[in-house]
Amino acid sequence: MILRPPIHRASFLQRLQGCFLGEPKHGPLPGGRTEALRRLRDYDPSHYGQSRNFLDGSVSRLSAYLRHGMLSPVEVREFLQSAFPKDPARREEFLRQLAWRDFFEKVLSWYGRGLENDLEEPKHRVTRYHRMPLDVLQGETGLPCIDGMLSELFSTGYLHNHARLWFAAYLCHFRGVRWQEGAQLFRQHLYDGDIASNSSSWQWVESTFSSKPYFANKDNIAKFSGGRWCNACRVKCPFEADYPTLQHRLFAGSSAPMAKPTPAAESKRVELSATDTGQCLGPLPPASDLVWVHDAAMSWEDPALKANPEAAVAFVFDEPALRAEPWAYHRLAFVLEGLEDLFEHLPNPTKLVLVGAPADQLAVLANALGASTVHLSEHPNPTVLETAIQLQKGSKVIVHSRPVFAEYSQEPKRFSRYWERVAQQVLGYRPKSARRMH
Ligand SMILES: Cc1cc2nc3c(=O)[nH]c(=O)nc-3n(C[C@H](O)[C@H](O)[C@H](O)COP(=O)(O)OP(=O)(O)OC[C@H]3O[C@@H](n4cnc5c(N)ncnc54)[C@H](O)[C@@H]3O)c2cc1C
């Protein structure tokens, strides 16, 4: 399947049947760098430090744009530094949190696909189930708080960081489910769903990438949610206890009815063959260079695009991956809207959206264009690296570096150690304290 601008979003997405979950309903978040820049300009981090742990705190909701490269962390930092030049305290905590994103990208760079498995031994002896409980998948656990979080996840594609922590603790420790099942659910539904921040955070909660399991009690949930669910709650609350009691209860074992694997997980992987793609392409103006825009590089400021204003440009919906792990429809719509915005701002003469296995599609496209060189921007996502390696078999591949948020070449084991080393680079001055909370 091939698409040239103008893009008719709804009809294109209909053709991606099997790649998305549920009804084709648009979500609340508009995609694209134009929207990302507007949101960044409107954001004031003055109250972030005091309020960010509360569900109604002044968080930025920029993560979906950062995840897709519509904004870069370096741009966000530079913007805040110029918007609040005389008052670094207003932006300090925000930049420290943004550094978590950078830290987790470094974790992914270091461990690659290894991040999909436990990085360390868990700091407890409870065995874990390998399947997601059905009531969780259906958002019907009977606990108003957890069902509320799931409903928000499914309908808005966003959860506040504290809600992510509570839900992850519930799934791993209260239901005894492997963190990987929760990470998959998040990847499918969150607008910002990724591998780096998502898998690392789940491992942080589980204690396979931290020194102890994270869990919360009812007082904590009630306080930081403003009593949203707890005030009127009448169910027997599994979170209602002090921490030592919960610690004892949780790490002595648990059981839960397990779901059968979802049809999505069982679905057949479909590969488009090179000939199929070749037949769809039709005549194309020749180009010596092709830029692959991957889904973490969707900005006209992206280095691969900036360096190649004459090149053909292509984005590929990774159909085999999406069939194996479909995304919520709103995620696909967000990406497509981001592409429309991107293409409108690019001077490049040929801009295409393809569907299939990225390496196959790009190889056939390069051939059809007569392009000898494929350009892309560096990213630790394993699919990007693996695609680049495959492309090297038939083309010259140039990987363009992105601006660096923080230089740190050691094994990224703990954020506190990383932050001690990089805080001065990130903030432009040495902070008074290096706090630990996630
Ligand atoms: C179990 C779990 C899974 C998560 N999965 C993802 C994911 O798939 N993708 C994702 O981008 N983030 C993930 N996070 C991290 C964090 O929850 C989100 O980045 C944040 O909530 C996004 O909302 P915001 O943009 O309003 O954040 P803000 O609080 O406004 O923070 C600004 C930016 O800093 C970064 N940031 C803030 N907190 C964190 C953090 N704890 N870890 C990493 N980066 C952070 C994000 O890029 C964020 O956009 C996860 C956290 C947990 C606990």
Side-chain angles (χ1 to χ4, degrees):
M1 198 189 303
I2 185 166
L3 190 71
R4 297 175 170 84
I7 295 170
H8 298 290
R9 217 181 308 150
S11 59
F12 179 72
L13 287 169
Q14 282 299 339
R15 283 146 75 194
L16 286 179
Q17 282 289 351
C19 294
F20 60 83
L21 294 168
E23 292 301 304
K25 272 207 312 229
H26 281 270
L29 199 66
R33 177 171 167 79
T34 304
E35 177 67 16
L37 290 171
R38 191 189 66 71
R39 286 172 179 242
L40 177 60
R41 275 194 298 269
D42 287 351
Y43 182 62
D44 179 351
S46 301
H47 304 292
Y48 183 79
Q50 314 92 283
S51 71
R52 72 172 188 88
N53 282 320
F54 293 86
L55 295 196
D56 61 358
S58 68
V59 294
S60 68
R61 296 193 172 219
L62 288 174
S63 54
Y65 302 98
L66 287 157
R67 148 70 178 90
H68 292 96
M70 294 167 188
L71 270 185
S72 79
V74 171
E75 278 179 317
V76 173
R77 177 177 63 198
E78 285 173 356
F79 173 80
L80 294 179
Q81 282 167 343
S82 64
F84 306 102
K86 299 214 178 79
D87 195 358
R90 281 172 85 171
R91 52 174 198 253
E92 178 172 322
E93 185 54 21
F94 188 85
L95 291 178
R96 198 182 76 93
Q97 287 303 311
L98 194 58
W100 273 98
R101 163 173 286 279
D102 181 65
F103 173 68
F104 288 148
E105 274 202 11
K106 288 179 166 57
V107 172
L108 180 60
S109 288
W110 193 280
Y111 298 106
R113 288 217 182 268
L115 182 53
E116 287 162 18
N117 304 315
D118 291 356
L119 292 177
E120 298 167 17
E121 287 296 315
K123 315 303 179 298
H124 59 76
R125 290 174 187 276
V126 184
T127 49
R128 296 300 191 208
Y129 296 102
H130 282 235
R131 289 204 191 144
M132 182 65 96
L134 257 186
D135 60 321
V136 175
L137 274 185
Q138 291 165 348
E140 290 173 358
T141 66
L143 297 174
C145 53
I146 297 299
D147 293 347
M149 291 174 213
L150 284 166
S151 156
E152 193 176 335
L153 172 68
F154 297 148
S155 61
T156 70
Y158 179 80
L159 276 183
H160 183 280
N161 184 60
H162 224 148
R164 296 182 198 207
L165 287 165
W166 295 329
F167 176 77
Y170 167 74
L171 192 72
C172 294
H173 309 314
F174 289 76
R175 300 297 299 266
V177 176
R178 240 172 33 126
W179 67 263
Q180 285 92 337
E181 313 305 324
Q184 175 174 347
L185 187 75
F186 273 16
R187 273 197 307 272
Q188 292 181 285
H189 290 274
L190 286 173
Y191 276 113
D192 62 30
D194 69 0
I195 300 178
S197 291
N198 187 40
S199 292
S200 306
S201 297
W202 277 90
Q203 299 223 42
W204 190 89
V205 169
E206 170 54 292
S207 78
T208 51
F209 190 49
S210 61
S211 54
K212 56 177 191 242
Y214 168 89
F215 56 94
N217 69 5
K218 183 178 175 180
D219 291 347
N220 180 279
I221 297 173
K223 176 179 170 189
F224 290 102
S225 67
R228 185 183 295 188
W229 307 290
C230 303
N231 288 350
C233 183
R234 298 283 169 270
V235 303
K236 189 170 159 16
C237 176
F239 310 114
E240 190 162 14
D242 59 26
Y243 281 102
T245 309
L246 276 184
Q247 169 93 23
H248 179 76
R249 216 183 273 164
L250 291 176
F251 300 105
S254 66
S255 66
M258 294 297 117
K260 294 201 174 69
T262 57
E266 284 173 334
S267 71
K268 211 161 73 145
R269 291 171 77 91
V270 176
E271 303 279 349
L272 281 191
S273 75
T275 3
D276 286 341
T277 320
Q279 282 165 4
C280 305
L281 280 176
L284 288 167
S288 58
D289 294 85
L290 168 64
V291 178
W292 173 36
V293 176
H294 53 73
D295 75 3
M298 296 175 61
S299 161
W300 51 88
E301 292 297 330
D302 186 75
L305 286 169
K306 283 289 265 190
N308 293 286
E310 303 289 327
V313 172
F315 180 91
V316 188
F317 277 100
D318 188 341
E319 187 177 31
L322 285 168
R323 285 193 181 275
E325 188 182 295
W327 281 3
Y329 184 87
H330 58 244
R331 285 209 68 183
L332 292 179
F334 177 86
V335 169
L336 201 55
E337 199 175 351
L339 284 171
E340 285 172 58
D341 184 43
L342 175 64
F343 283 6
E344 262 173 45
H345 285 83
L346 289 179
N348 306 60
T350 304
K351 293 167 274 205
L352 302 168
V353 180
L354 305 167
V355 179
D360 294 349
Q361 297 288 316
L362 292 164
V364 172
L365 179 60
N367 193 30
L369 292 162
S372 56
T373 308
V374 181
H375 301 259
L376 61 130
S377 284
E378 68 170 342
H379 195 271
N381 185 334
T383 308
V384 173
L385 301 177
E386 288 157 12
T387 302
I389 290 167
Q390 283 191 54
L391 285 170
Q392 269 175 338
K393 291 179 193 154
S395 309
K396 183 176 167 196
V397 174
I398 299 183
V399 181
H400 296 254
S401 311
R402 294 177 303 162
V404 177
F405 185 78
E407 295 280 1
Y408 186 76
S409 52
Q410 296 169 30
E411 183 175 1
K413 290 291 265 183
R414 292 290 181 264
F415 179 81
S416 52
R417 227 168 294 157
Y418 155 90
W419 185 240
E420 257 170 46
R421 289 289 171 98
V422 307
Q424 192 156 1
Q425 283 178 57
V426 173
L427 301 172
Y429 59 90
R430 185 133 193 91
K432 289 195 195 101
S433 64
R435 280 169 287 161
R436 189 189 170 275
M437 193 181 162
H438 194 267

